[in-house]
Amino acid sequence: GGTTKNDTDKKSGSAVTGKADANAETKKGLKIAFLPKQVNNPYFTIADTAGKKAVEELGSTYQEVGTSSGTDTSGQVSYVNTLTQQQVNAIAVSAQDPGALCTALKQAMKNGVSVVTYDSDTKTDCRQVFVSQASAEDLGRTQVQQLAKQIGGKGEIAILSAAQTATNQNTWIDFMKEELKKPEYKDIKLVKVAYGDDDAQKSFQQTQGLLQEYPDLKGIISPTTVGIKAAAQYLSGSKYKGKVKLTGLGTPNDMRAYVKNGTVDAFELWDPNKLGELAARTAVALQSGQITGAEGQTFKAGGMGTYTIGKDGVVSLGKPTVFDAKNIDQYKF
Amino acid sequence: MTQPEPDATPVLALEEVSKSFGAVRALRGVSLRLYAGEAHALAGENGAGKSTLIKALAGVHRPDTGTVLLDGSPVEFHGPADARDAGVAVIYQEPTLFPDLSVAENIFVGRQPTRSFGRVDHRAVKQAAADLFARLGVDLDPEQPARGLSIADQQLVEIAKALSFDARVLIMDEPTAALTGSEVSRLFGVVRTLREQGAAVLFISHRLEEIFELCQRVTTLRDGTWISSEPLAGLTEDDLVRRMVGRDLDELYPKQETETGEAALTVRRLTREGVFTDVSFEVRRGEIVGLAGLVGAGRSEVARAVFGVDRWDGGEVEVLGRKLKPGAPSLAMAAGLALVPEDRRAQGLVMDMSIERNIGLTGFAETTRAGLMNRRAERDRAVDWAVKLQVKYARLADVVGTLSGGNQQKVVLAKWLATAPQVLIVDEPTRGIDVGTKAEVHRLLSSLAAEGVAVLMISSDLPEILGMADRVLVMHEGRLAAEIPRAEATEETVMAAATGRAARGRDAA
Amino acid sequence: MTTTAEPVRSAPVSRTAGARTFIDKMFKARELAVLAVLVVMLGATQIYNGEFLSEQGIKDLLLNATILALVATGQAVVVITRNVDLSVGSVLGISAFAAGNWLNGGGSPLLAVLLAVALGALFGLLNGALVSLGKVPALVVTLGTLYIIRGIDSIWVGSRQITADALPEGFVGFGHDGIWAVPYLALLALVVLLAVGYYLRSYRSGRDLYALGSSPEAARLAGVPVRGRIMTAYLLCGALAGLAGALYLARFGNVDSATGNGYELTVVSAVVVGGVAFTGGSGSVYGAALGAVLLTSINSVLPAIGVSSVWVTAINGILLLLAIAVDRILALRVAAVLRKKAAQMRSARHD
Amino acid sequence: MTDTTTKATARRGPGGAVRWDTAVGALFVVLLLCSFSFVDNFGNALNVSFLIGNTLPIALIALPMTLLVVSGEVDLSVGSTAGLSGAVMGALWNEGMSIETIIPLCLLLGVVCGLINGLLVTRLGLPSLAVTIGTMAAYRGIAQIILGSDSVTDFPSQYLDFGAGRIGDTFIPYAALPFLVLLAIAVVVLHATPVGRSLFAIGASEEAARFAGIRVKRLKLSMFVTTGLLSALTGVFWALHYASARYDNATGLELSVIAAVLLGGIDFDGGKGTLGGAIAGVFLLGTLQNVMSLLNVSAQSQIVVTGVLLVVSVLAPRVGRQIAQSRARRKATAVPLRPPAATS
Ligand SMILES: Nc1ncnc2c1ncn2[C@@H]1O[C@H](COP(=O)(O)OP(=O)(O)OP(=O)(O)O)[C@@H](O)[C@H]1O
Ligand SMILES: Nc1ncnc2c1ncn2[C@@H]1O[C@H](COP(=O)(O)OP(=O)(O)OP(=O)(O)O)[C@@H](O)[C@H]1O
Ligand SMILES: [Mg+2]
Ligand SMILES: [Mg+2]
């Protein structure tokens, strides 16, 4: 006997109930809290600062809390609990783990707190809306297209990811593999996915290892800002500089030196400013009753235009921007 | 009581010094003067305050009141380094070596001979150490690490260290407690030379004959107070004892005649490779068997193996007909065996634990009810034995490490006697114990034997062995060299066997 | 006991002399063993993957080891005194950022390195002062300063970061260039290592550190200036962590508030693998440095022979266990051999 | 000699002054009182239940860790053992095994982990610090191999409720009840049984303990096994409490446990400390973090506060002792002569 996986009833779908009124007035004086994966992480700081600007513009108060480590799930849970205690109106959270925050977030929602996830999602029933930085499919496929162009559509490539458990990374990698199945990439061979755990030193050594194990490697995709930076730093100081192509997701500030010295031709990223702003505006819209998170609802996000909620309560920011030597100096983040 | 002292200024002196540790007043207004060219003895029972006095002289303890005078003017030593720089060399009661450093480095720590740019001259360090050992007639390798040295060897290194200072004042706290005859006489020879060259010497020993042999003057302490300072000439040992104890003493080796019963401890062909070989003997109920031998002969090792702290490689041990398993002290204890180890600080006691808990360690069976400790029973057991052995303490909850050396030894005895053993092995049971208590311990061992306990006594104090033992076993280089019945046991026969000349000795006889 | 004047000692000359040279050899062999494991491991990897020990490969190995080796050298000095400094990771992080900040503001690279060293030394001094003046357990104090310095670092740094484009060309070049396959960083680390090793072996104050760790009580009685020496050890350790911070900046060209987080465990592992005992008084900085090289090399070897990074953590742990276990078994064997020898000598004398 | 004096007085203080563990306990109570009165949202049952629930993993492991540290050893692999047990729980659950079978298996696994640590330490005589740094990596690595990037969240709801829920509307989480039982057992074992006495003796002087017939190796081994068992239990609890089994669960838990235990006055040289102190240390840190979060103190500043508290915790008794000593020295001159306390 006993309780097994098959006995548990599968609940899914988003945690959405109630009706939305797209024309409801935007409430002021709300308390909106941002809970990034990690405080002091430059990427999240950009996003959250933009969020702050938007929140204040809308006449509400902003607050940022979070753990100083990106893998301190229990810490993140207790922050959700604390925020619930403090009776904030909405939480915008980038989840370190899709499941671990669920109990706490559901408790928060029960207490009337609106929950928006951004950058990194939880399970769909633990939040109302996920603000996605770009569709996972777009991100995965465009990175392959980038690299294919750089290496001339032929040769061995590898992926340098963050932690093995990083949900968004894994989704993108799945789409990369999908994309590679297309006939135009038949000469490209994905030899390995390595994990650098978003740690500079580890990513460094993983890059070295890739190059030693596959001397004919032509290119690397690193869909993580830490990874691409470490890989670029290694390549720029080694004999592989310029010979092995590198692309992926990185911030212009991080990558400027490597684009200019020829280590990296081009890479891409969405604008984290916009991500933060959209998360903030979504949170306020939820609290104002303009949306509830159901598919098909639309809302106006200030100067960013109108957004529509997609399947599973996902709002997508749009296509990523590609940075190269020509345009990189226009971006300062 | 004070006889005229030399007119000269004392090299080092204490005036009216007091020192307390919490509630314990270890020294109360004690004065002492050390003169150039004179060896001064310090006598007193365990806990009288001798070691404390020395530490006050050496700058380890700061006196609460009173002054230390160097060449007649007050000084304040802020630490042992100050005293050393002032020309005071100290051998402390408990050897304090650096186990990881070589013997030579131990001697010269902080004072190594140097080459250019202040670099240590390793060769000179080694040579100087070798020279010192030669002077002392000791055969130690200067480059050997200090770890694993026997207590005696450690004490010799300490002595070499003190000598290496060429100090004006040489202070020695029971340097001879672990040494045998010839080492002691070598040491005395060297000390006499130093004294004749003008050094002042302060010497502590519980062996009164040593005091008389080496010193000119003696200061006696009792319970932290000054009793007398006087020349030794004209004094007898009994006078000295009376000053120390405040009364006359009983017979020193009170051997009771007992009837010996069945064999209680039987050891057959016991071997631990590289340490001892083929050791066989038995100890019967009611019997005290002495185990003699030179330092390093392996006596302690046999005792440890029998008790099970070390494993043995071959042979067997039987206690009251029960075979023991190698390496299982708890089984040995259950069979009725007890071992009072030789190194009380490392093996006998948990120095950071209270007196009560230390004594309690061997008696969980008696002091538990339904698996839980019974505080009352634990306390009673400790008090009973602490009182029986006259341990001098303030509170039972005091940390054992704060007791004087001799009192610590008594706690070890208490801890083991409390188990009511059938077979008792005592390793150097009276090392560092004052004459009064020594007699007490001897009486205790005697009466235990009279009650039918089998006692195996290891001792480097030959008179003690000869005085107490019904039979003397002698070890030489890891083997049992001779078994000598009480009637034939003399210093000559035992030493002959111990130095491996037994056969020749007999031939000659 | 004044009666006998026999030659009391039973000729112990042979007891010690024969055994000693053997012990001496074995002692050195502890470090040799680490070295041997290292050589075998690298050799085997080279056979498997010809690219491994190419010029670039060797350079990478040396570069990887440099920073850890430096910090491990400092840590070994502290551990030899029977203390420990858990704050090295935090110190490394904050000095790296300080140096980066200085360079970012247009400062000269040399001064940046000096600044990092000075800052590290300052924190070392703080640790040393807390440990020696307060006479409190180093483990607690430095766990405390680990948190404090990390906290100050993250408050100061915030979400800022120093990236490669903020650093002068020459400084970044210094981070990966070298003479043939030997990077400048590794040369620098080697010089520091040899200097510290020589200091420990050949200066009184260096020997004092061993004495202190071997028995603090005896050191006090022997008049060793205990406080001063402990301060020296922490100062050195802090300064080396600071230097390592500057080199980290040069090598990775990237520093943020998380730099050096959790580094203390790696450092402690290196020191342990290198045979420096936590009970103080034994081991050498060379051992610690070798331990560092071994640990970082494992992390290069595994990817190079294509082991999935999923396995790396587990293999790392098991190798660490193997290293210390083999070392221990070796030591036990030696002790047994010594005992046998002693026995043979004794029975020889009996015959 | 003087060294032993200072050590001896460290716990008791001269003239029976306040012991450190009592001080930590008092500090904890004061903090609680202040928080109840001055911190918004602190006092309500939900928050207190959060506080207890989040502190429980640390408290659970602190129990055996205290005993282990008292005996002079340490186990740094506790976080990894917890992670491994969670990972195995997740993997087996995905395989469709019943949770009632899985949990005992996980606990058994914890026993094995502890046994490995213990055997390496007691049989080979390796330092526990080194061994458990090694197994810390090894166990975590194995967890990673077993569960990979999965994150298992769909455990049965009655178990999840037990892990995260509280009794009615009170502040007591369900999981606090078994903890209280374990706490009581640990207190009795350490402070009122021969085992506890022996652990203190082993920690203070292993050799002397061996000479007193205490079965040092066996005791140490059983302590490692207990630590492994409770770490695995913590791993199971963690997975249920956070409704998530991942290979990196409970990462860094060992440092939190050690910091708390140190704060509670447990001496890492062994032989000293009380469980009361350790648990007070655990909840003092937990409460402090909760309060600081409620007061919007940033994570960075919280780290600094934790660090300062640790440093102060070791410095304060020391400074107090020095003050008391110098006062005693001044007094000593004035005290009249009194015969020393002797026995007979
Ligand atoms: N560090 C200390 N803390 C507390 N009490 C101490 C300390 N050192 C010594 N005492 C106490 O001071 C008294 C004198 O001790 P001391 O060691 O000077 O005796 P002793 O004359 O050397 O005895 P023994 O002959 O046994 O060595 C004893 O009662 C002892 O318990
Ligand atoms: N840990 C050890 N490792 C190797 N040899 C040892 C060790 N301990 C003791 N020995 C050697 O074993 C022999 C006997 O030891 P020990 O000196 O204890 O004998 P003993 O007869 O009891 O002498 P003592 O008079 O010192 O008590 C000596 O040669 C000693 O050097
Ligand atoms: Mg004494
Ligand atoms: Mg002996």
Side-chain angles (χ1 to χ4, degrees), chain A residues 26-251:
Chain A
T26 301
K27 285 191 189 160
K28 290 188 189 302
L30 301 172
K31 285 199 277 181
I32 312 289
F34 270 65
L35 178 53
K37 257 191 196 170
Q38 184 183 21
V39 292
N40 276 353
N41 177 314
Y43 164 79
F44 281 107
T45 306
I46 297 165
D48 292 4
T49 313
K52 178 177 183 205
K53 227 172 92 195
V55 168
E56 284 166 359
E57 201 180 297
L58 292 171
S60 294
T61 53
Y62 163 92
Q63 160 187 10
E64 185 199 33
V65 293
T67 60
S68 49
S69 145
T71 52
D72 180 9
T73 316
S74 62
Q76 225 183 8
V77 169
S78 62
Y79 272 113
V80 173
N81 289 340
T82 307
L83 291 172
T84 312
Q85 279 309 304
Q86 291 175 331
Q87 290 155 6
V88 297
N89 297 95
I91 302 177
V93 54
S94 172
Q96 288 180 1
D97 177 284
L101 292 170
C102 276
T103 320
L105 286 178
K106 282 178 183 166
Q107 188 121 32
M109 288 191 286
K110 229 171 27 191
N111 283 306
V113 181
S114 301
V115 176
V116 176
T117 51
Y118 68 106
D119 179 73
S120 201
D121 198 9
T122 60
K123 291 197 291 182
T124 50
D125 57 335
C126 312
R127 46 81 180 156
Q128 285 152 305
V129 178
F130 171 47
V131 178
S132 172
Q133 47 270 55
S135 89
E137 181 158 4
D138 277 351
L139 280 174
R141 294 192 190 274
T142 50
Q143 288 178 61
V144 171
Q145 289 154 10
Q146 275 290 336
L147 190 66
K149 203 162 69 191
Q150 292 176 17
I151 62 173
K154 197 151 77 184
E156 295 181 341
I157 64 165
I159 296 172
L160 175 66
S161 176
Q164 213 193 351
T165 47
T167 349
N168 46 7
Q169 299 273 327
N170 290 336
T171 328
W172 299 333
I173 292 173
D174 286 343
F175 279 113
M176 291 180 199
K177 288 179 180 161
E178 278 301 309
E179 178 74 11
L180 282 170
K181 284 188 189 140
K182 289 188 182 164
E184 62 255 49
Y185 304 121
K186 64 177 191 321
D187 291 333
I188 297 182
K189 191 168 154 233
L190 174 63
V191 289
K192 184 162 179 178
V193 180
Y195 298 94
D197 287 346
D198 265 356
D199 173 280
Q201 218 159 340
K202 253 193 208 158
S203 308
F204 223 82
Q205 287 188 328
Q206 286 298 331
T207 314
Q208 291 172 7
L210 284 175
L211 292 167
Q212 280 174 351
E213 195 185 355
Y214 304 102
D216 296 331
L217 201 68
K218 284 285 178 297
I220 298 174
I221 301 177
S222 184
T224 152
T225 52
V226 178
I228 194 174
K229 198 160 55 180
Q233 171 73 4
Y234 175 71
L235 290 178
S236 77
S238 77
K239 66 177 186 191
Y240 306 108
K241 176 173 165 181
K243 298 195 185 99
V244 176
K245 298 296 179 186
L246 174 68
T247 189
L249 303 178
T251 69

Side-chain angles (χ1 to χ4, degrees), chain B residues 148-153 178 274-275 293-301 304 342 427-428 458 460 475, chain C residues 15 339 346:
Chain B
L149 287 183
S150 71
I151 297 271
D153 285 342
V275 183
L294 302 181
V295 168
R299 297 162 297 167
S300 302
E301 267 74 7
R304 292 166 48 143
E342 70 179 328
D427 195 352
E428 312 284 2
I458 302 172
S460 298
M475 280 189 76
Chain C
R15 165 168 72 128
R339 243 175 51 191
R346 209 175 295 207

Side-chain angles (χ1 to χ4, degrees), chain B residues 93-111:
Chain B
Q93 184 166 9
E94 311 290 351
T96 46
L97 296 183
F98 305 105
D100 300 293
L101 299 192
S102 73
V103 164
E105 277 208 277
N106 260 287
I107 295 175
F108 291 101
V109 156
R111 313 176 285 123

